[in-house]
Amino acid sequence: MPGTAPVEAFRAGFGAFIGLGITGLCLLSTGVDLEYGLYLVAPLGASAVLLFAVPNSPLAQPWSAVVGNTAAALVSVAVSLVIHEPTLRIALAVALAIVVTFMLRAVHPPAGAVAMTAAMSPDAVEHLGFWFALAPIATGTASLVLIAVAYARLTGRRYPFRQFEQQNRYGTGDRVPAERLGLSETELSDILQRYRQSFNLGVEDLARLIGAAELQAAAHQTGAPTAGAIMSTNLITVRADTALGEVADLFRRHRFTSLPVVDEKQRFLGVIFQIHLISRARDDALRLDRGLMPALRRLIDPERDKPVLAIDVMSVTVPRAIATTPLGALLPLMGDTDVDAVPVLEYGKLIGIVTRTDLIAAMAREIARAAD
């Protein structure tokens, strides 16, 4: 396996801790409860690995997890009630669980452990019967899935994985620019089937990877410039305590659409985009039941009791680049986000900024050079 960032490892581990902890405290007991079947079982630990460590895997999706585990439990209980020889019972339960989950398009590796757990626990199966599939299996798995959905959103991940036909962030059906490959969903699915990767990757994520690879390859082939070669360096910046009225004046005077926010040592703090001012004014207009323009004028009024400062509206989660970042990497940074400028940093200090205008001009030069 390729290496991964320590923060991602801790994110996955902490997610499993939260998921199993909440499920154990609120729904399932740590001890075996043969009266209600509300107890933790080992396969839930395996499910937690998939749900929190590889949430983009088709094997980790809600249907695969809940239906896969539940179907495996039903199959294993049925086998256990009929066959009493231990080795044959365990082997047949796992084998049939694999067949059934394939047929249901719900392959989930921990389902094999679910089937084996039931087949190895004849006393529990005899006492609980098919209720074992509902509790603890379906109940525990569904709890983990719901927690995984919430945890992914809180930590900036996406679970369940992206669907090929879902709308983009603008609410339209167009593909985002980096994924306009000229390939249909069926063609992408065929590629996954041909290389036997349909269990490892979703169609939407395949489109994203192909798009990123094409951009990276184009940068290599054309010798495209880097961020350091095309960035603007004569920057107009503001401090975190700059009043919003002064920020508005700078926007008006220089016709910028974004202004970087730095401290006294030129360390990058965030960016203010014009849209932030409009969005803040719109929210105030809705809250105060006033028009947009009066709200905007009030927002930047230097005489108001508590002036709004740059730090109150700036964005700190914008994508960033370094001087050696190639053009092919800058394109998706702007294409996949709601920003029209990417700050260029060197050891945390702002040394330049690449705007959409810079990027379009650089691309135009590359196209002209290629035509020559």
Side-chain angles (χ1 to χ4, degrees), residues 224-234 320-330 342-346 351-355 358-359 362 365:
T226 61
I230 67 173
M231 68 184 182
S232 302
T233 57
N234 186 16
R320 304 164 193 198
I322 58 175
T324 56
T325 301
L327 178 66
L330 290 170
V342 175
V344 183
L345 308 182
E346 186 176 81
I351 61 172
I353 193 165
V354 178
T355 66
D358 297 327
L359 202 56
R365 287 194 297 270

Side-chain angles (χ1 to χ4, degrees), residues 69-359:
N69 278 354
T70 304
L74 291 170
V75 167
S76 186
V77 169
V79 170
S80 298
L81 293 176
V82 174
I83 298 177
H84 301 289
E85 201 284 318
T87 302
L88 178 60
R89 180 177 68 238
I90 293 170
L92 185 60
V94 174
L96 290 178
I98 292 173
V99 173
V100 170
T101 54
F102 260 84
M103 294 174 65
L104 293 174
R105 299 176 65 181
V107 176
H108 184 63
V114 168
M116 192 168 183
T117 298
M120 293 178 65
S121 309
D123 293 339
V125 167
E126 183 179 356
H127 189 88
L128 294 173
F130 289 102
W131 181 262
F132 176 80
L134 180 62
I137 300 302
T139 302
T141 307
S143 172
L144 285 177
V145 165
L146 292 174
I147 295 169
V149 171
Y151 186 73
R153 293 190 177 185
L154 290 174
T155 56
R157 299 297 186 274
R158 187 180 293 250
Y159 179 79
F161 66 8
R162 298 169 176 85
Q163 298 297 319
F164 189 80
E165 69 278 2
Q166 74 184 43
Q167 291 186 333
N168 59 36
R169 66 178 182 276
Y170 301 112
T172 66
D174 286 333
R175 311 294 301 152
V176 296
E179 297 172 24
R180 294 175 188 171
L181 309 174
L183 297 175
S184 67
E185 181 178 7
T186 301
E187 290 172 315
L188 290 168
S189 296
D190 288 343
I191 292 173
L192 289 174
Q193 292 287 352
R194 191 185 317 154
Y195 289 94
R196 297 182 177 88
Q197 295 297 314
S198 57
F199 288 157
N200 301 319
L201 195 64
V203 172
E204 169 68 10
D205 285 327
L206 175 61
R208 295 172 67 237
L209 287 175
I210 293 176
E214 284 185 345
L215 289 173
Q216 193 69 31
H220 283 267
Q221 292 168 0
T222 62
T226 61
I230 67 173
M231 68 184 182
S232 302
T233 57
N234 186 16
L235 304 179
I236 304 296
T237 62
V238 296
R239 299 288 178 84
D241 58 354
T242 301
L244 216 54
E246 184 178 343
V247 172
D249 286 339
L250 289 172
F251 276 133
R252 184 166 48 248
R253 189 185 319 155
H254 297 282
R255 299 182 182 276
F256 292 149
T257 58
S258 59
L259 281 171
V261 183
V262 298
D263 64 11
E264 64 278 359
K265 295 182 178 180
Q266 282 298 107
R267 289 178 297 205
F268 176 74
L269 301 178
V271 178
I272 299 177
F273 296 101
Q274 275 191 351
I275 190 64
H276 291 163
L277 300 183
I278 297 173
S279 297
R280 179 67 178 264
R282 179 200 61 198
D283 293 341
D284 284 357
L286 292 174
R287 178 170 54 84
L288 300 173
D289 195 23
R290 295 181 179 177
L292 179 60
M293 290 308 298
L296 185 56
R297 283 194 293 269
R298 180 179 180 275
L299 188 64
I300 62 178
D301 181 6
E303 303 299 328
R304 63 183 299 178
D305 295 336
K306 185 180 179 182
V308 181
L309 305 178
I311 194 173
D312 297 322
V313 297
M314 72 181 186
S315 175
V316 298
T317 58
V318 295
R320 304 164 193 198
I322 58 175
T324 56
T325 301
L327 178 66
L330 290 170
L331 287 170
L333 288 181
M334 291 190 191
D336 293 345
T337 59
D338 293 322
V339 304
D340 56 10
V342 175
V344 183
L345 308 182
E346 186 176 81
Y347 301 111
K349 291 186 177 181
L350 183 69
I351 61 172
I353 193 165
V354 178
T355 66
R356 289 187 189 273
T357 303
D358 297 327
L359 202 56

